[in-house]
C-alpha cells in the first residue's frame, strides 16, 4: 500500500518561501505523477502542480511564477517551494499520486498524504 | 480553464434515504474518441484527506461501497448515495482532469437529517 507523508515548517513569515517535502513509501516514485494540492481552512481544493520521476513538471498557471516542484528519486521524495507567500497561502498542503491522461493532464488522485497545515504569519 | 460548480452547497438526508449531488463543468469533459468522461468524485471527512470514490465519472474504486454511484456525461454529472449511512457524513468534491489545470468543484456537504 502506497503511503505519502508531508513534512516541513508549519509557520512561514510573509514574503518568505514555503518549503515542504513528501516522502513516498510502499512504492516507487519512478512511476506515476506526483502532485501538490492545497486547501485553505474551510475551503475547497486547489491543484498546485505535478512532477514525475524524470523531473517533468506542470504548474497551475495561477501559481506558476512562485512554484517550484523537484524530485529526489534516491530518497523517494518530492518537494514544493512556494515563494513570496502571503496570508492567502495559509492552507493544508497535501501531496498526492495520480496518473497521466492522453492529454498530458494529471489524472485522478488515488493516494493522498494526511496533509500539513502551513500558516503564513509574522 | 474549466470551472466546476456543484449543487446544492449542502444537504441533509435521513438515514437510509437517497442523497444526490450534482456537478457541472463549464466545458465538456467527454472525449468522444474513447467515450470517456474525465471526471472523478471524492469524499472528504473532517480532518482527513479526500478519498477517491470514482473515476471516468462512473467507475467505482476498489473497496468503495456500491451505494455510491456516479453518472452523467459531457458537462453534467451526479453522485448518488442510494441509502445514506452515518459514516457517509462528509464533503463531496467533483474533479475534472480533461484539461489543465485540473479543477475541483467547491464541494457539497452531506449531513444526517
Amino acid at each position: 500500500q502506497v503511503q505519502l507523508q508531508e513534512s516541513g515548517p508549519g509557520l512561514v513569515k510573509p514574503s518568505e518561501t514555503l518549503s515542504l517535502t513528501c516522502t513516498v513509501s510502499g512504492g516507487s516514485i519512478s512511476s506515476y505523477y506526483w502532485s501538490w494540492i492545497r486547501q485553505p481552512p474551510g475551503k475547497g481544493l486547489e491543484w498546485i502542480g505535478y512532477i514525475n520521476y524524470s523531473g517533468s513538471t506542470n504548474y497551475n498557471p495561477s501559481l506558476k511564477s512562485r512554484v517550484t516542484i523537484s524530485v529526489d528519486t534516491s530518497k523517494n521524495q518530492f518537494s514544493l517551494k512556494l515563494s513570496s507567500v502571503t496570508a492567502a497561502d495559509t492552507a493544508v498542503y497535501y501531496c498526492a499520486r495520480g496518473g497521466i491522461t492522453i492529454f498530458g493532464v494529471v489524472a485522478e488522485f488515488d493516494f493522498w498524504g494526511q496533509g500539513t497545515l502551513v500558516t503564513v504569519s509574522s | 480553464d474549466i470551472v466546476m460548480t456543484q449543487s446544492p452547497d449542502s444537504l441533509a438526508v435521513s438515514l437510509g434515504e437517497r442523497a444526490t449531488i450534482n456537478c457541472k463543468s463549464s466545458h465538456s469533459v467527454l472525449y468522444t474518441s474513447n467515450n470517456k468522461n474525465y471526471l472523478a468524485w471524492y469524499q472528504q471527512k473532517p480532518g482527513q484527506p479526500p478519498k477517491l470514490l470514482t473515476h471516468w465519472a462512473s467507475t467505482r474504486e476498489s473497496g468503495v461501497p456500491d451505494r455510491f454511484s456516479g453518472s452523467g456525461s459531457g458537462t453534467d454529472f451526479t453522485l448518488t448515495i442510494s441509502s445514506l449511512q452515518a459514516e457517509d457524513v462528509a464533503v463531496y468534491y467533483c474533479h475534472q482532469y480533461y484539461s489543465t489545470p485540473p479543477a475541483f468543484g467547491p464541494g457539497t456537504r452531506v449531513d444526517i437529517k
Side-chain angles (χ1 to χ4, degrees):
Chain A
Q1 179 84 337
V2 173
Q3 292 186 315
L4 296 85
Q5 180 66 58
E6 304 88 352
S7 59
L11 181 64
V12 181
K13 290 183 169 53
S15 79
E16 295 190 344
T17 296
L18 177 161
S19 296
L20 296 174
T21 296
C22 181
T23 301
V24 180
S25 58
S28 173
I29 204 169
S30 298
S31 300
Y32 296 95
Y33 285 68
W34 305 90
S35 284
W36 288 97
I37 296 162
R38 69 181 183 177
Q39 184 172 38
K43 296 188 178 180
L45 299 157
E46 180 181 33
W47 175 76
I48 299 170
Y50 76 64
I51 193 165
N52 73 354
Y53 73 97
S54 67
S56 175
T57 56
N58 188 270
Y59 302 138
N60 192 322
S62 67
L63 297 167
K64 188 173 183 176
S65 63
R66 300 193 291 131
V67 173
T68 302
I69 299 177
S70 58
V71 66
D72 185 337
T73 56
S74 67
K75 295 181 179 179
N76 237 31
Q77 294 177 334
F78 62 106
S79 298
L80 168 71
K81 290 189 186 299
L82 180 66
S83 64
S84 305
V85 297
T86 70
D89 295 309
T90 294
V92 174
Y93 285 77
Y94 295 101
C95 54
R97 187 185 87 166
I100 198 76
T101 73
I102 57 175
F103 311 120
V105 181
V106 63
E108 72 277 7
F109 304 106
D110 56 357
F111 288 97
W112 297 64
Q114 284 299 306
T116 186
L117 174 63
V118 179
T119 301
V120 178
S121 175
S122 56
Chain B
D1 294 4
I2 295 179
V3 176
M4 307 299 290
T5 56
Q6 290 182 231
S7 63
D9 294 336
S10 63
L11 73 161
V13 176
S14 300
L15 288 172
E17 296 300 306
R18 179 185 302 263
T20 301
I21 301 166
N22 301 300
C23 171
K24 191 173 184 69
S25 58
S26 62
H27 183 280
S28 175
V29 298
L30 170 65
Y31 185 50
T32 54
S33 295
N34 60 12
N35 200 35
K36 288 190 182 297
N37 288 283
Y38 287 67
L39 184 114
W41 285 99
Y42 300 83
Q43 173 194 65
Q44 187 178 33
K45 297 180 179 180
Q48 296 185 18
K51 173 187 175 182
L52 180 65
L53 296 177
T54 72
H55 66 280
W56 298 139
S58 59
T59 301
R60 197 181 306 115
E61 303 305 308
S62 174
V64 173
D66 60 8
R67 63 180 180 272
F68 290 94
S69 63
S71 62
S73 186
T75 61
D76 294 281
F77 300 89
T78 299
L79 178 70
T80 301
I81 309 172
S82 61
S83 176
L84 191 75
Q85 304 300 302
E87 61 265 31
D88 301 335
V89 170
V91 179
Y92 293 83
Y93 294 94
C94 58
H95 157 220
Q96 72 80 17
Y97 48 99
Y98 181 87
S99 71
T100 198
F104 297 86
T108 294
R109 184 178 304 277
V110 175
D111 286 310
I112 305 295
K113 185 187 292 183

